[in-house]
Amino acid sequence: MDFSATNPNLLAVGLYDGTVAIYNVRNTGNDPVLDSLGEIRATGHESNGKHSAPVWQLKWIEKDRGSGDEKGEVLVSISTDGRVTQWMIRKGFECADLMKLKRVSTKQGKKGQETQKKTEAFISRQAAGMCFDFNAKDPNIYLAGTEEGHIHKCSCSYNEQYLDSYFGHTGPVYKVQWSPFLPDIFLSCSADWSIRLWSQDQLQPLINFHSSTKAVMDVCWSPKSATVFGCVNEGAIEIWDLNVNTLDPIIVSVPAPGVQYSSVIFAYNSDCILVGDSEGQVSVFQLRVMPTVENNQVDILQKLVNQNMAVKGNNKK
């Protein structure tokens, strides 16, 4: 779910049955003000826009390109039906597919580099979408993570092909997020127990982070420090600082027996994180004794990226 920035009273929710609904939290009733089931209720027929599988993520996106209906805030959703869909609320609840995700295979290149190759050998051509994130510097560009473990860079201007595909994960990608400080860098986490740091110019991960043998359910950059991110796996909350250590987290917190963490986000106005769990609860944790944020924190992250890109380059020779 996600709150609108333009209209903070509007809350968008994606459901397991494929429905996308918008609620006005100022209303006292329980019914959504808009949803993708509207056409079914009105005509008795399935809407062409409704997702046919669970909606795993949706987000309000501010689009500053185009004119008229193409500008302003739109809602984007991704589903395991393979569709990345844009919803507009100005005229009812219209939708258009930004991309229909398709499966790709990987083939070794001359220097050990994996390249994208389409194949007809798949039982299903459809790739199940799990997560996405739009680039803050260029809101026309977004990343889409899939159930097969691939991450695709896409453009809103092209709905038939990927700009690039990133291979490294061996399980479903649960979260992908661009760095708020370096627009070419992003993080991903997966059921394969790993978190990976990427540059959009490199199709292979720059750094792989492994600290447990449990699926990593969520990852989130700190809004205050360029080198800090948090993650939750089924057994712990972890806070990492790449300026301190790239092998182990600096903070680990284990949940109560029987509880599994599922989501994490940093608070913007305090040194806290909010964590969701399998019991349906949201807990607030205060981050104490955190390393001092350096004035050159962006330069530190850029240096780390450059060093790992140099290592990757030397390994290919």
Side-chain angles (χ1 to χ4, degrees):
M1 60 183 179
D2 192 35
F3 277 98
S4 165
T6 303
N7 302 289
N9 56 303
L10 297 183
L11 174 65
V13 180
L15 304 180
Y16 194 79
D17 69 354
T19 301
V20 173
I22 297 179
Y23 292 85
N24 186 343
V25 296
R26 293 175 181 169
N27 294 347
T28 56
N30 294 325
D31 295 331
V33 293
L34 290 169
D35 66 34
S36 54
L37 288 172
E39 186 175 332
I40 299 177
R41 285 193 292 265
T43 66
H45 299 292
E46 183 82 10
S47 168
N48 291 328
K50 180 182 178 296
H51 287 293
S52 59
V55 177
W56 289 110
Q57 185 182 358
L58 44 64
K59 190 174 184 180
W60 296 93
I61 304 296
E62 186 68 30
K63 302 194 76 173
D64 57 0
R65 297 189 176 187
S67 59
D69 291 340
E70 296 178 1
K71 292 189 68 175
E73 193 178 49
V74 298
L75 182 66
V76 177
S77 60
I78 192 169
S79 166
T80 40
D81 66 5
R83 295 165 53 212
V84 181
T85 304
Q86 174 178 292
W87 303 84
M88 291 154 287
I89 64 174
R90 294 186 180 183
K91 300 177 181 178
F93 202 37
E94 297 179 348
C95 72
D97 288 339
L98 296 178
M99 177 67 73
K100 291 184 178 179
L101 301 170
K102 294 180 175 60
R103 292 178 179 269
V104 297
S105 64
T106 58
K107 181 181 179 181
Q108 286 301 112
K110 292 182 179 178
K111 295 183 179 180
Q113 185 178 17
E114 288 179 311
T115 58
Q116 178 178 328
K117 179 188 177 183
K118 294 183 179 180
T119 179
E120 299 297 334
F122 298 115
I123 296 176
S124 171
R125 293 285 294 159
Q126 168 191 305
M130 301 295 294
C131 57
F132 68 90
D133 195 31
F134 277 74
N135 189 287
K137 184 179 179 180
D138 185 354
N140 196 48
I141 300 297
Y142 63 95
L143 300 167
T146 67
E147 191 175 47
E148 59 188 336
H150 300 161
I151 300 170
H152 304 296
K153 184 168 73 170
C154 310
S155 169
C156 294
S157 302
Y158 305 97
N159 62 2
E160 293 293 334
Q161 62 183 14
Y162 307 132
L163 300 181
D164 274 315
S165 291
Y166 304 91
F167 305 110
H169 285 298
T170 57
V173 179
Y174 289 141
K175 184 69 173 289
V176 60
Q177 187 180 48
W178 294 99
S179 165
F181 294 92
L182 288 180
D184 293 333
I185 302 303
F186 62 93
L187 279 172
S188 63
C189 68
S190 169
D192 66 6
W193 312 342
S194 75
I195 303 163
R196 299 178 191 249
L197 180 73
W198 310 75
S199 167
Q200 68 168 332
D201 297 326
Q202 302 286 323
L203 302 184
Q204 301 265 330
L206 298 177
I207 307 177
N208 300 328
F209 305 97
H210 297 269
S211 66
S212 73
T213 56
K214 298 182 182 296
V216 185
M217 308 305 296
D218 197 7
V219 67
C220 182
W221 287 100
S222 165
K224 296 182 178 181
S225 174
T227 59
V228 173
F229 67 86
C231 72
V232 289
N233 56 50
E234 294 176 342
I237 307 168
E238 298 179 352
I239 304 297
W240 294 71
D241 189 339
L242 304 183
N243 190 32
V244 176
N245 195 332
T246 59
L247 298 178
D248 297 294
I250 60 172
I251 297 175
V252 177
S253 177
V254 179
V259 176
Q260 295 182 349
Y261 292 132
S262 58
S263 58
V264 62
I265 189 172
F266 281 83
Y268 282 89
N269 299 319
S270 64
D271 292 326
C272 296
I273 57 171
L274 289 80
V275 179
D277 63 36
S278 58
E279 299 293 309
Q281 298 183 359
V282 177
S283 302
V284 180
F285 295 85
Q286 183 177 9
L287 300 176
R288 297 178 178 176
V289 199
M290 288 289 290
T292 303
V293 178
E294 303 290 344
N295 293 330
N296 62 336
Q297 55 173 320
V298 178
D299 295 333
I300 293 172
L301 179 58
Q302 185 66 69
K303 182 179 179 181
L304 179 69
V305 168
N306 293 341
Q307 289 174 341
N308 281 273
M309 288 179 68
V311 170
K312 294 288 184 180
N314 291 333
N315 289 340
K316 291 178 183 179
K317 292 180 180 178

